[in-house]
Amino acid sequence: MSFDQRALWALSYGLYVVSSRDDGNYNGQIANAVIQVTADPPKLAVALNKKNYTHQCVVNSGLVSISVLDRETPMKMIGLFGFKSGRDIDKMSQCKYKIGSRGCPIVIDHSVSTIEGMVVDSVDVGTHTVFIVEVTGGEVLSDKKPMTYAYYHEHLKGKAQENAPTYRGDVKTKQSGGNEMQEYVCDICGYVYDPEEGDPDSGIEPGTPFKDLPDDWVCPVCGAGKEDFSPVE
């Protein structure tokens, strides 16, 4: 039987921060595989990669919080939770969050709504674990539109992290043209460097061509080096 992987690309997803705790440490990650599976009592299925620190936190604590991100969520925040490891940095120190009724951190920055829950079952599906989470609380924080995975890809030009269940094995864009004002895209997270805007937060003035960036300049979203950027066609 033939299989065209693109058939899966038509499936719809959201974009969320899934958070948990482990021995007093708080962590969270970007996830898109979160769905409601029952109404009474309300239960969710949450898929997390076994390599991720958040997976370890959920296994050890049995607690989960989910923050539904809005469309105005900056790429820097998506990069923090989607392309950096909680084993290396304290993500929660770089955003607004609160502690839920069961001691689980809940990200409230750029969140349309938040959901708290506890793990009642799990399924090993190979690279990931699907946690069945019974909802214990929830709150609506904003009337902004939630970000969908399609919006993230099409409008923000974001990419799937390699540990994501929907990773497509993105291929680098081939070199084209020699325009000094050529935009370059990060092959890791999808951040686009626009020479006309520069990167003021990193001390790069507007009007700076990509080729003139310092050798030690890194992607402001995920920290990738210049070698991980390709021209935008």
Side-chain angles (χ1 to χ4, degrees), residues 181-199:
M181 290 297 105
Q182 171 80 52
E183 294 181 346
Y184 279 70
V185 61
C186 177
D187 298 316
I188 306 301
C189 71
Y191 165 81
V192 175
Y193 175 77
D194 183 349
E196 293 186 359
E197 297 180 1
D199 180 14

Side-chain angles (χ1 to χ4, degrees), residues 36-52:
Q36 182 174 350
V37 292
T38 64
D40 186 20
K43 293 179 182 177
L44 310 176
V46 181
L48 300 178
N49 192 291
K50 295 176 183 177
K51 295 179 181 179
N52 293 351

Side-chain angles (χ1 to χ4, degrees), residues 8 23 30 53 70 80 118 122 126 141 145 163 197 199 204 213 232:
L8 298 173
D23 291 333
I30 292 290
Y53 181 44
D70 65 44
L80 173 66
M118 55 188 299
S122 64
L141 302 180
K145 291 183 178 180
N163 287 346
E197 297 180 1
D199 180 14
I204 306 300
L213 292 174
V232 175

Side-chain angles (χ1 to χ4, degrees), residues 26-27 49-57 84-91 163:
Y26 301 140
N27 193 59
N49 192 291
K50 295 176 183 177
K51 295 179 181 179
N52 293 351
Y53 181 44
T54 303
H55 180 281
Q56 175 183 321
C57 293
K84 297 181 180 180
S85 174
R87 295 185 177 93
D88 303 322
I89 62 172
D90 179 3
K91 299 181 184 182
N163 287 346

Side-chain angles (χ1 to χ4, degrees), residues 15 17 30 68-79 108-113 141-149 151-152 155-156:
L15 203 65
V17 173
I30 292 290
V68 181
L69 297 178
D70 65 44
R71 285 189 180 182
E72 297 176 13
T73 303
M75 282 296 289
K76 184 166 289 188
M77 180 171 174
I78 295 174
I108 58 178
D109 259 355
H110 295 282
S111 297
V112 173
S113 64
L141 302 180
S142 167
D143 60 0
K144 294 180 180 179
K145 291 183 178 180
M147 186 184 297
T148 64
Y149 205 46
Y151 186 91
Y152 168 66
H155 294 271
L156 301 183

Side-chain angles (χ1 to χ4, degrees), residues 126-206:
T127 58
H128 290 63
T129 299
V130 177
F131 296 100
I132 306 303
V133 178
E134 185 167 325
V135 175
T136 58
E139 182 180 10
V140 176
L141 302 180
S142 167
D143 60 0
K144 294 180 180 179
K145 291 183 178 180
M147 186 184 297
T148 64
Y149 205 46
Y151 186 91
Y152 168 66
H153 279 289
E154 295 167 10
H155 294 271
L156 301 183
K157 308 303 180 184
K159 295 189 176 184
Q161 203 266 354
E162 190 173 358
N163 287 346
T166 53
Y167 179 64
R168 299 177 183 177
D170 297 310
V171 179
K172 289 187 177 182
T173 307
K174 294 189 180 296
Q175 183 94 15
S176 64
N179 181 4
E180 284 203 342
M181 290 297 105
Q182 171 80 52
E183 294 181 346
Y184 279 70
V185 61
C186 177
D187 298 316
I188 306 301
C189 71
Y191 165 81
V192 175
Y193 175 77
D194 183 349
E196 293 186 359
E197 297 180 1
D199 180 14
D201 291 341
S202 301
I204 306 300
E205 296 292 333

